[in-house]
Amino acid sequence: MNTTTMQLTLQTIAEPNRFNIVELLKKGPQSVSEIVRALNIGQPQVSRHLRILSENGLVRSHTKGQMRIYSLEAQPFQDLDAWFDSFSVLWEERLDNFEDYMLDFMRKEDK
């Protein structure tokens, strides 16, 4: 995922209702009416947010009878997960430095 696409993904899910829709869809595919009931917001609002999520490649839909069913597109979220995981090196290095500091401190205390 390039930087622009990742920024767009983060901007898209930063809106609270879209974030809540993504949270719901993590549990599995949902119809618009199920999302409306779960979030207790109007159907036009939910449809607008689903359209934005779809236009930015975060959800896909298919028709089942009279219902439109939405589900998450996995790839953008896998890309975000990989990006966040890249920070683990930074934290591991800081924890190693802290461990070294504490061991050195304890050695000085024993003397």
Side-chain angles (χ1 to χ4, degrees), residues 50-62:
L50 285 168
R51 180 182 47 77
I52 293 168
L53 288 164
S54 181
E55 287 173 355
N56 292 309
L58 301 178
V59 299
R60 64 175 176 267
S61 66
H62 70 277

Side-chain angles (χ1 to χ4, degrees), residues 38-73:
L39 298 182
N40 198 26
I41 58 175
Q43 189 271 329
Q45 275 185 293
V46 168
S47 293
R48 183 174 61 87
H49 290 302
L50 285 168
R51 180 182 47 77
I52 293 168
L53 288 164
S54 181
E55 287 173 355
N56 292 309
L58 301 178
V59 299
R60 64 175 176 267
S61 66
H62 70 277
T63 303
K64 184 176 180 184
Q66 299 272 328
M67 294 187 301
R68 193 159 199 84
I69 307 294
Y70 287 86
S71 57
L72 291 179
E73 285 284 354

